[in-house]
Amino acid sequence: TFDNAYCQISVCSPSRMSFLTGRRPDHSRVLNFIDHFRQADCGLTEGGVAYLGPTLRNVTVGGCEWGGAAPCGGSGDCCSICSEDERCGAWTYTHTNSSCMLKARSGARAADSGAVSGARGTLSTRAAWVSLPQHFKRAGWIALSSGKIFHTEEGGSGNTNPNLNGPGMPPNQDPPSWTPGLSMQRVNDVANMWDCKIGLPPSDPDACAVDADMSGAIASPLTTKQFCDR
């Protein structure tokens, strides 16, 4: 039991990035659970606004398990793609169709509740950071991810190859950090975020994996294995 415990910030992903990078959230400038330090540092963005300036090209930022009903952080990938293109001065990401429009300049603005827009960012700051496990991997150590760093329904680090794009957090638990094949690629298979219904028999697909109260006491200790870390 921890009697005097603290976290960097009351949001999961920025705290995890602190573990990976050794930097506080106010330094990483990641304050939500969908953007990450591998993306360009994009500064302030405009939500609910689409830029109407000249479009250089459209890029489809790949979907996520949440589907089109949630942004999933695709705007960070869109800004990263813009930042890789020297012709791009601004961008607009529309999450309803996963469209990333690269603009020569922002131009006029139009209200669009499904859009996020902003100026090109920079890849010369946090995107060049080396994570702590990545440092050990480079030194010849085996770096094994044995737990959840990021959820897998969001993935992608921003790349001009659309096949490598994904909305939000790094895929496969941030590949540069781990020895190939040793990241937990399918976190939701073992520790998902979906809701469950307490009281159903374990055979029911909607049942909770463990039927316990808030203190960790197992409801049926004779038939359910007790966890040692309760």
Side-chain angles (χ1 to χ4, degrees), residues 60-131:
T60 299
V61 175
C64 63
E65 292 180 13
W66 287 351
C72 295
S75 60
D77 271 0
C78 188
C79 177
S80 298
I81 297 168
C82 175
S83 303
E84 292 177 329
D85 189 334
E86 61 183 14
R87 303 171 300 158
C88 184
W91 52 271
T92 289
Y93 174 72
T94 306
H95 76 80
T96 52
N97 60 4
S98 302
S99 171
C100 171
M101 291 183 287
L102 305 184
K103 305 280 186 176
R105 58 183 182 277
S106 59
R109 289 163 168 77
D112 185 339
S113 60
V116 179
S117 301
R120 68 177 290 126
T122 176
L123 293 163
S124 64
T125 53
R126 67 183 188 189
W129 292 348
V130 175
S131 71

Side-chain angles (χ1 to χ4, degrees), residues 176-192:
S177 288
W178 315 107
T179 301
L182 296 183
S183 64
M184 184 180 283
Q185 298 187 29
R186 293 292 306 173
V187 174
N188 280 329
D189 289 346
V190 293
N192 66 58

Side-chain angles (χ1 to χ4, degrees), residues 28-39:
S28 71
R29 297 182 65 180
V30 175
L31 302 174
N32 58 35
F33 71 98
I34 50 180
D35 296 320
H36 60 87
F37 73 94
R38 299 289 186 193
Q39 294 173 326

